[in-house]
Structures are given as structure tokens and as C-alpha cells.
Amino acid sequence: MLLDDFSEWLVGLLFLSGILWAIDAVVRKDKTKRPPLYAEYARSFFPVILVVLLIRSFVVEPFRIPSGSMIPTLHVGDFILVNKFAYGLRLPVLHTKILSVGEPKRGQVVVFRYPKNPSIDYIKRIVGLPGDHIAYINKQLYINGKLIPHYHKRPYLYTEQNGQVLEAYRYTEKLGKIKHHIILIPGLTQKPMHFVVPPHEYFVLGDNRDLSDDSRYWGYVPQRNLVGQAFLIWFSWNTAHGGGVDWKRIGRSIP
């Protein structure tokens, strides 16, 4: 789950400031007199809100990571930027696509509206494209019958928000042209799972494979739910060790 989306608030503020500005323009007969305070504020804020709304809707939008489902790629407290232009332009609030630009590629980290509750934004990695056969057996991922191997096993310790330290192993995985890290926690098991991705939908997984609420449990992500591609960590606040800026993570690209 992600925190930050307030496009509806921006649209409401834009509408309100525009109405107040228009009312003053119609009602105030003597244009030489100073406009009332509400009209001055409305006239000042309208263009600012409009620019912010356009940037957030069509160019780039910030989000904050509140959970550990994408560890080790993304940590709790990371602030990320999402390219809203990557998969086409959509109208704010309505989410109607008005221009097709590109299609998601296997391995990309995407933000999307959670299919069971579109008011919530999730972030995961695209594993399955439309028509793919996906299997997850003994913590091994298979795509169209081909094993996606894990490389470079290394011990990995991380602290959850409740202070619990978990012991895991970090592996390198390659999906398409994208090489990234995942973690697996020894001792946790799952029954074999098989999926066929429907047309115009995507199968997504978290990089924290044993502790991620993803397509294995609630299904596929419709294309219309895609928000954009995550590409940069612009700020990071270390929540695991008493707080503080994690300078090493700032400016990292997201594989």
C-alpha cells in the first residue's frame, strides 16, 4: 500500500478557487478597487494548483512506502517518484486514458490502484504479462514453463516496523532485461500455485516474496488500474532504527 494520492483534493481546490475568482470578476463592478481578500487568494492559488495538478496527473507523482512488501528494493520510509507518462495519459480522478504511450514490461516496478479497493495505491513488480502462464512452486518462479533462477545467495537481516528482526536470504533475479534483488525467508512454505494471466491484465509480485500481499492472493491488475512506473527514490527516512535521514538511499534509481 502507498500513501500520498490527493488528486481529488487538488481538483476540488482548483474548482473552488476558480469559482471564487470568477464570482469576483462578475460581481465587482469597479475594477479599480482592490478585490476582496478571498478573490486575491483565489487568483493567486489557481495557477499554482493548476500547475501542480497537471504535473501530478501527467508527468510525475510522489508516493511514500509504508510497508515492507518490496524489501530489499524499497524500504519503509522511502519516498519515491512515479512516471505518470510511462503507460499513457489519464484524466485525474476519472482515470480515463486519453493517450496511449507505452506498455508495461516484465520486471518493471509499477504503482497501481488496488483492484479490490481502487482508492488505495499499491506498488509491486510486474512478473506476468497478458497470456503468460505463471507458476510459483517451492519458492521458485516459472514463466511459461521456464524457471526464473535465483543467483548470488547472501544472508539478509532487516527490522520490521514492530521491531522484530527477520533473518532472510537475498537473491538476484532477472525478469526480462531487469536485474533486481528479492528476499526469501527460510522456514516459510506455500502450496504450489498456477495462474494464467487474462488479456489486458498483469500478474505482480513483491520483492519480499514471503511477506507480500500480491497477485498470488487477490488476482490480477487490470491495465486501466495502472498509475505509472516507479523510477527514483528522492528521499528516505529510516524508520527501523529510531528515525533519521538515510542519505545512502537518496537518489537511487529503482530497478
Side-chain angles (χ1 to χ4, degrees):
M1 185 174 68
L2 294 177
L3 303 178
D4 195 55
D5 192 4
F6 58 91
S7 293
E8 293 182 11
W9 283 95
L10 286 176
V11 171
L13 289 172
L14 183 71
F15 180 78
L16 177 62
S17 60
I19 290 294
L20 293 176
W21 189 7
I23 289 175
D24 174 67
V26 172
V27 173
R28 185 164 53 91
K29 302 300 182 182
D30 188 353
K31 306 301 182 183
T32 62
K33 290 184 177 181
R34 182 176 179 177
L37 191 60
Y38 76 83
E40 287 189 339
Y41 277 122
R43 185 173 60 183
S44 299
F45 285 125
F46 182 87
V48 176
I49 297 172
L50 178 61
V51 170
V52 172
L53 181 63
L54 289 175
I55 291 174
R56 285 174 58 92
S57 299
F58 302 124
V59 183
V60 66
E61 184 171 3
F63 290 92
R64 179 172 69 85
I65 304 297
S67 72
S69 69
M70 283 297 291
I71 291 174
T73 304
L74 297 172
H75 294 182
V76 177
D78 282 347
F79 291 75
I80 66 170
L81 293 179
V82 173
N83 180 357
K84 302 292 290 288
F85 194 75
Y87 308 133
L89 299 183
R90 295 179 182 272
L91 294 175
V93 181
L94 298 176
H95 307 300
T96 302
K97 182 182 283 190
I98 57 176
L99 178 65
S100 294
V101 177
E103 298 295 331
K105 294 180 174 58
R106 197 188 317 279
Q108 291 179 339
V109 176
V110 297
V111 172
F112 56 92
R113 295 186 303 281
Y114 180 42
K116 292 187 177 298
N117 184 355
S119 66
I120 300 174
D121 291 312
Y122 269 37
I123 184 167
K124 306 291 178 188
R125 191 178 298 277
I126 289 183
V127 170
L129 303 177
D132 280 347
H133 293 245
I134 305 295
Y136 195 75
I137 305 170
N138 294 327
K139 300 192 180 186
Q140 295 284 344
L141 176 65
Y142 297 81
I143 301 177
N144 297 324
K146 181 181 178 180
L147 172 67
I148 306 300
H150 302 150
Y151 301 97
H152 306 137
K153 178 181 179 180
R154 293 183 180 180
Y156 188 90
L157 294 178
Y158 74 96
T159 304
E160 291 201 304
Q161 290 175 285
N162 60 8
Q164 181 183 5
V165 178
L166 293 182
E167 297 181 5
Y169 287 102
R170 191 189 77 177
Y171 299 84
T172 300
E173 180 182 81
K174 187 175 182 182
L175 293 172
K177 297 181 179 180
I178 298 176
K179 187 181 292 185
H180 60 278
H181 297 304
I182 66 169
I183 60 172
L184 298 172
I185 300 174
L188 296 182
T189 60
Q190 289 180 321
K191 65 180 181 180
M193 299 178 175
H194 299 268
F195 309 88
V196 178
V197 186
H200 311 296
E201 298 190 358
Y202 299 90
F203 185 91
V204 297
L205 292 176
D207 289 346
N208 188 349
R209 290 286 163 82
D210 290 315
L211 296 177
S212 172
D213 182 24
D214 49 41
S215 287
R216 291 171 291 181
Y217 309 107
W218 43 255
Y220 311 99
V221 179
Q223 188 179 56
R224 64 180 178 274
N225 284 47
L226 295 176
V227 173
Q229 180 185 357
F231 69 94
L232 183 72
I233 300 171
W234 66 271
F235 185 74
S236 184
W237 184 263
N238 190 336
T239 62
H241 302 287
V245 178
D246 192 342
W247 297 100
K248 293 180 180 180
R249 297 188 59 74
I250 296 176
R252 287 189 182 182
S253 59
I254 300 173

